[in-house]
Amino acid sequence: MKISGEVGARIRRLRRAAGMSQANLAGDDLSASYISLLEAGKRAPSADVLAQLARRLGCDPSDLTGVPAEISVNEFQVELNYAEMALNNGDPEASLEAYRTLQEKVSLADRPEVWYKAECGIARSLEHGGRLEEAVARFESLHAASLDRPDLVPRLPTVIALCRCYRELGDLSHAIEVAEATLTELEKLQLGPTVIGIELLSTLVGVYMERGDMHRAAYLATQAIEQAGTVTDSRALGAAYWNASVVMYRNGNTADALTLIEKALAIYAEGEDQRALARLRNAYAMLLLQSETAQPEAARDVLDQSLTSLREVGSSVDVAYCLSALAQVELRLGNAEAAIGHAERALELLGPDHRLQSARNHLVLAAARLALGDREAAQDAYERGALMLEASEANRQAAFAWAELAEILRLCGEDERAVWAYRQSMRCMGHRETFLTGQKLTSRT
């Protein structure tokens, strides 16, 4: 150990401040003459001697040497484990504080691995806490820093996280751009199927579904299942089944969708990730609700179970998604007031960043308000939801919302606005006005 030349002066100063003689400080293990030599700078104490003197003086060895105490790698790992545990237990604020505290103890130059793990943890904590804009800024910095590294696979968790965040923010084009560019790199490297690569495929399937590109979503879902069958990780297969089931449902194949999601449930039920299992139950409940033989009561039972679990291990955003699903179930059961309560609470928990899911809650509110006879409030909610979906590039969903709004306006006797809403719906589906639809026709006299 390299000891500063002032160590003797520090020992003498601290000994005198403690009111101790050299003999008192020496104790039974050392001699007063040895302490005198130390204080005169004529001897260099060993690490064990420094530890003894520090205990007797009631200070840290670093106070004697002037060298900051080294924190062992094991101590760093303990702090990382605690922060990760807090995040997994649904406490993103505690996790965020723990990761930030750890990052303050290290520098990027001295402990790059620990610093990057803490930075990634901070970004994930922000994401789970619903602070998506802040999370994206962190993930983008991590992604940019990793571009110079030759190994692509360690970059994939950051790419997946970026894809998730951009999807929630409604920036579907950017989510697809980041993920597709990474998939192209993976194909060039010909690494073969990996668990993290399958997770990227599954994430991208969800984004394409949001945008309404069901052909690309179905192709990637098939790829994910095929690749998952070649690896030993059961969760990768479960995630592939999960996303493929949603694709099947969106394409009108409810029976196969239920089969696939029940396979996914069986796989996740054997694991320890209760948060992921609860979120999967949300998706299962929606299939039960919207299948050809709808089972709203069964869907509500599944969601109640999911909500209980998510309140223990999920984030506020996870709870919001479950409440959104419950709002749809209550609406189907004819309980408009309960639906409004769930949807409004979900909007509070989502905050301003989760634009796609907020839009869906506005559509549920619109339908519930209409069921209660409040047509004006229903119109406002439908229009707001449709505009938010359109801004998020979820054009297919926006088209349906505009069409529903047009029906409400027609029933209210507002024919001109109804025509306008129908045109918005057609525009979202790719229809553009021609010369004939854009001009008033007059008859010849």
Side-chain angles (χ1 to χ4, degrees), residues 285-298:
M286 287 298 92
L287 280 180
L288 291 174
L289 178 67
Q290 297 165 357
S291 63
E292 294 176 359
T293 56
Q295 304 174 56
E297 290 87 358

Side-chain angles (χ1 to χ4, degrees), residues 126-439:
L126 290 168
E127 179 193 354
H128 283 257
R131 296 158 66 176
L132 296 180
E133 297 283 4
E134 295 176 69
V136 163
R138 296 273 185 168
F139 282 129
E140 283 285 12
S141 295
L142 286 165
H143 182 49
S146 67
L147 289 176
D148 295 333
R149 299 182 185 180
D151 193 352
L152 174 62
V153 173
R155 285 164 42 194
L156 295 184
T158 301
V159 172
I160 292 168
L162 272 174
C163 197
R164 282 196 312 263
C165 289
Y166 279 127
R167 173 184 173 178
E168 289 297 323
L169 287 168
D171 192 348
L172 302 182
S173 291
H174 207 158
I176 289 171
E177 179 185 343
V178 172
E180 286 284 15
T182 307
L183 278 180
T184 301
E185 286 187 72
L186 277 174
E187 290 170 1
K188 289 179 180 178
L189 291 173
Q190 297 181 335
L191 297 175
T194 61
V195 173
I196 194 69
I198 296 165
E199 187 178 346
L200 176 59
L201 275 176
S202 298
T203 303
L204 190 51
V205 167
V207 182
Y208 274 117
M209 283 191 294
E210 296 287 10
R211 199 168 74 168
D213 189 345
M214 301 310 297
H215 293 295
R216 182 65 174 163
Y219 171 73
L220 292 175
T222 301
Q223 271 199 324
I225 290 177
E226 289 176 354
Q227 291 186 21
T230 66
V231 299
T232 57
D233 188 276
S234 60
R235 180 167 172 174
L237 184 59
Y241 282 147
W242 181 347
N243 283 282
S245 73
V246 182
V247 174
M248 289 289 186
Y249 163 70
R250 293 280 182 89
N251 283 327
N253 191 343
T254 307
D256 285 345
L258 281 169
T259 299
L260 286 170
I261 203 166
E262 285 166 358
K263 288 183 177 180
L265 278 168
I267 291 171
Y268 275 84
E270 293 178 356
E272 298 180 356
D273 193 339
Q274 294 303 306
R275 177 172 174 260
L277 178 60
R279 293 169 66 197
L280 180 55
R281 285 189 182 125
N282 289 352
Y284 179 53
M286 287 298 92
L287 280 180
L288 291 174
L289 178 67
Q290 297 165 357
S291 63
E292 294 176 359
T293 56
Q295 304 174 56
E297 290 87 358
R300 182 165 58 185
D301 290 342
V302 171
L303 288 170
D304 285 340
Q305 183 182 8
S306 175
L307 186 60
T308 299
S309 180
L310 288 173
R311 280 177 169 154
E312 293 181 1
V313 300
S315 67
S316 59
V317 175
D318 293 327
V319 172
Y321 268 77
C322 190
L323 290 172
S324 299
L326 275 168
Q328 295 182 55
V329 169
E330 294 294 354
L331 188 61
R332 178 65 68 90
L333 290 169
N335 303 323
E337 292 286 0
I340 289 171
H342 288 318
E344 289 182 339
R345 178 57 181 152
L347 284 170
E348 290 175 10
L349 292 172
L350 288 169
D353 284 350
H354 293 259
R355 291 189 277 272
L356 266 177
Q357 190 63 18
S358 293
R360 296 189 185 100
N361 277 283
H362 283 299
L363 297 182
V364 173
L365 282 173
R369 297 291 186 194
L370 183 62
L372 294 174
D374 191 346
R375 292 185 175 183
E376 184 176 351
Q379 290 179 34
D380 290 343
Y382 263 121
E383 188 168 341
R384 187 171 181 183
L387 287 169
M388 290 177 73
L389 286 171
E390 191 174 343
S392 301
E393 303 172 83
N395 288 343
R396 187 177 182 184
Q397 298 174 61
F400 291 130
W402 282 119
E404 289 184 13
L405 174 58
E407 285 298 305
I408 293 173
L409 292 168
R410 186 180 64 79
L411 291 171
C412 294
E414 299 185 36
D415 291 342
E416 287 190 12
R417 289 195 67 206
V419 171
W420 166 78
Y422 277 126
R423 284 180 173 171
Q424 300 305 313
S425 176
M426 293 173 68
R427 179 176 51 79
C428 290
M429 294 299 286
H431 176 76
R432 293 293 178 265
E433 289 189 348
T434 64
F435 172 79
L436 290 177
T437 56
Q439 299 289 326

